[in-house]
Structures are given as C-alpha cells and as structure tokens.
Amino acid sequence: MKKIISLILLVSICFELNAQVNFSIGKTIYPLHAPGFATFFNSYNAELASSIKTPFKADFPSANGWSIKGGYLIMRDDDAGFYYNTTSGVNLLRTKNEAFFANGESRKTVLHMNEWITDVSLGVGGNNFHIAVNGTIQLRFNKVFCSYVYHDGTESFGPEKNLNGIFSANRLMGGYGGEVGFGIKYVQVVFKAAKIYKPFNKDGSTYLNYYSDLAGYKADAALLVNSSWPTEYLPADYHQFVADQLTSESNNNLIYINDYGWQFGLSLMFIIPKKD
C-alpha cells in the first residue's frame, strides 16, 4: 500500500512539473586508458628501436569529437525544484598514434570510437540552471585503421605489411558521473563528467571482444605453410608476434576492447517547451 501511495505522489508531482523535449550538440573529450594498445605501442618501439626515429606515444592521446543527443526533460518552469532528464544519442570520437622511421616512412594507427549513449540524470534545477548526478550506458563500436605510410606519402592498408588492416571491436559499457548547466529559459550550457568503467572480466573472456579484421584475403592466407601472413587480429605484445605469429594468436596475444577513463563534455542544450 505504501508503494502505491508513493507512486501516486510521484506521478502527481510530475504532472505539476513542466515536461519538455530537448536536444543538445557539443564536444566530448576522452583521456582514455587502453592497456592492450599501450602494450603494443611500447613493445613495437622496443622491437624496432634501431630503425625508429620518433616512437609511438606510450598510449593513445585523448580522443575528442562531437556529441548529438535528444531527450525528455521534467523540471519546474520557474523556481528550483525536481529535475529529471533522459537523453540518448551518439558520440563520434577520434584519436591517433604514429611511429616515424629514419627512412621517412611511418606506422600509423587511427582509432575511431562511435558510441550510442543513454543517460539518466536526476537532480535539482529550474529554467536557467540545473545540477544532477547521472548514470550512463554506452554501446561502443570501435575501429582501428592500421596503415603503413611510405616516404612519398602513400598510405597502404594492403597485405605487403602484415599489420595493415581495418580492425573492429564492440562492447557494452556502463558509467556514472554528474553534470551542471547554466543559461537562459530555453538554452543551457551543460558541462558533464562521466567515469567509464574498466571491464570486470579479464582479456580472453567471452565478454570482451578483440580487434579483428576478417577480410577474405586474410582468412585465405591462413592456408599458407609459413607462420607469417597478414594478421587477422591486432597483437598486444609485438615481441611475441614477431617471434611466432601462430603461437602468438593461440596464446590470445590480442588487443581487446578494454579502454576506460573519464569522459568530459561541453554542450548546448536546447529545450522545447510542451504546448498547453
């Protein structure tokens, strides 16, 4: 009975508040930690130290890009009070890391992070400000463009270099954080910070996907007798990969989609009032 009364009270409060549709557009920065790629970058630098002029950075630099979201907002239309906002949309993030050789050529890795995000924010606010805590669920689709750049500027993803390819992985993630917004009646500038969880499962579990490129010519290359061909999976430890590619893959020496860290966003939220 108490639960029914509480539900009735909550519904009655919501009817007294102003329900509004909103959409936002802004910039997102993600100073990510990617353990598998960090292992690859460092071992690649060490393995080819004699020929590298400028090594890979120890990890990917911060990814950044655009976010676009739409949502359903419940709040007071005058004084401060209850604030609730459910939003859903996309983050399109990019970052890259590159190692340059003494001969003017380079190995380039570009990471594209496309995310479908749903946030639930709960706090206090009015028509010109709000402050809230939020929970976030992200479905992330990552792609790594791993290429070799020749001294004449030609960028190749072809099989002549065994690391070349376009590798993809996906993962469902969760997080938490907070946000604050200030503005005028129907426009607010919103700053958001959200912590993206580090995966609970270890590399090699079915929960974590690894970066793979199952192009037809690469699958056919597995029929070759020798132990080196264009790789279908990005290796984590490059030393082990060079020593024996077959053993490397059978030992799960792979890069998994296990990045984590804080994401920061700055956006403009446009509120569309509900007509009476």
Side-chain angles (χ1 to χ4, degrees), residues 58-271:
D59 204 343
F60 273 116
S62 295
N64 62 83
W66 290 95
S67 66
I68 303 173
K69 298 178 184 177
Y72 187 76
L73 171 67
I74 299 174
M75 69 175 185
R76 292 188 66 87
D77 197 25
D78 42 28
D79 299 327
F82 178 77
Y83 177 94
Y84 172 87
N85 195 11
T86 298
T87 60
S88 192
V90 295
N91 268 349
L92 305 174
L93 306 175
R94 305 288 184 265
T95 182
K96 73 174 183 177
N97 202 353
E98 192 166 4
F100 296 88
F101 299 101
N103 64 359
E105 300 176 342
S106 67
R107 164 64 62 190
K108 183 164 70 172
T109 56
V110 179
L111 176 60
H112 288 198
M113 312 174 79
N114 299 328
E115 306 169 346
W116 183 267
I117 303 173
T118 298
D119 291 332
V120 176
S121 303
L122 183 64
V124 296
N127 60 13
N128 58 5
F129 86 98
H130 77 269
I131 183 169
V133 295
N134 53 52
T136 182
I137 296 176
Q138 298 186 0
L139 181 57
R140 174 170 294 166
F141 301 91
N142 284 8
K143 274 188 178 180
V144 177
F145 296 78
C146 192
S147 62
Y148 193 86
V149 182
Y150 292 93
H151 58 81
D152 63 354
T154 302
E155 183 176 7
S156 173
F157 293 92
E160 80 281 2
K161 300 289 185 180
N162 58 8
L163 288 179
N164 286 358
I166 301 173
F167 303 83
S168 61
N170 58 75
R171 173 180 149 215
L172 182 64
M173 303 176 299
Y176 65 90
E179 64 179 59
V180 59
F182 296 94
I184 56 178
K185 190 168 185 178
Y186 296 127
V187 181
Q188 289 191 19
V189 177
V190 180
F191 173 76
K192 175 190 171 185
K195 185 175 183 180
I196 306 304
Y197 282 119
K198 183 177 181 179
F200 296 113
N201 298 62
K202 295 181 179 180
D203 293 353
S205 70
T206 55
Y207 171 76
L208 282 177
N209 193 214
Y210 46 77
Y211 288 89
S212 60
D213 182 356
L214 300 181
Y217 74 86
K218 290 190 173 184
D220 293 340
L223 300 175
L224 297 176
V225 177
N226 62 42
S227 62
S228 180
W229 56 78
T231 183
E232 296 179 37
Y233 315 102
L234 275 176
D237 187 333
Y238 191 67
H239 295 301
Q240 188 179 154
F241 176 80
V242 170
D244 191 320
Q245 187 174 341
L246 285 173
T247 303
S248 172
E249 292 181 1
S250 63
N251 287 343
N252 286 327
N253 179 37
L254 312 171
I255 298 180
Y256 289 79
I257 182 169
N258 56 7
D259 55 271
Y260 64 98
W262 283 88
Q263 279 190 355
F264 304 97
L266 186 64
S267 61
L268 276 177
M269 181 173 69
F270 301 91
I271 301 170

